[in-house]
Amino acid sequence: MDRAELSITVHRTGDEAVLRLAGEIDMLTAAQLSTVVNEILTEPPPRIVLDLGGVTFCDSQGLGTLVVLSRKASHAQALLILTNVGDFLLRVLDITGLRSALMIRNDAPAP
């Protein structure tokens, strides 16, 4: 069995940190995502954007991690925003009732 992989690229500007994720968010990679977001939260920008366009899989551990990170960001007076959320993940968030616990912006960014 191949080890699940998650690639995270961070781009910071004054008002936000954009994390481009590619791969799987699951029990083997959720801690990696938590570590990166927690490092950003040491000096939080107003917005932390998780670009999930490259995410191919997310299990219950990944879902829980997204909710926990959203709460941690809120406590640090930052918004955690999910963008480019795939249809499969939107369905899972709807089924689990977690969609309302997360801020999702799937609209195109302003030019």
Side-chain angles (χ1 to χ4, degrees), residues 7-110:
S7 164
I8 303 172
T9 306
V10 179
H11 177 73
R12 265 190 106 132
T13 63
D15 287 344
E16 66 184 18
V18 178
L19 285 68
R20 293 195 195 318
L21 280 53
E24 302 181 1
I25 306 173
D26 60 17
M27 62 183 286
L28 299 174
T29 63
Q32 176 189 354
L33 176 58
S34 290
T35 298
V36 173
V37 174
N38 285 330
E39 285 173 9
I40 290 169
L41 287 174
T42 59
E43 292 180 36
R47 289 180 305 281
I48 300 169
V49 179
L50 300 185
D51 182 342
L52 304 181
V55 172
T56 56
F57 178 78
C58 185
D59 70 3
S60 60
Q61 183 77 34
L63 292 174
T65 298
L66 292 174
V67 172
V68 167
L69 292 175
S70 179
R71 288 186 184 143
K72 282 185 173 182
S74 180
H75 288 299
Q77 266 108 59
L79 288 177
L80 184 82
I81 302 167
L82 309 183
T83 63
N84 296 316
V85 181
D87 288 341
F88 82 94
L89 187 50
L90 287 174
R91 279 196 302 274
V92 171
L93 292 170
D94 283 337
I95 291 168
T96 58
L98 292 175
R99 189 170 183 167
S100 62
L102 299 166
M103 182 172 294
I104 299 170
R105 294 237 174 100
N106 266 358
D107 44 36

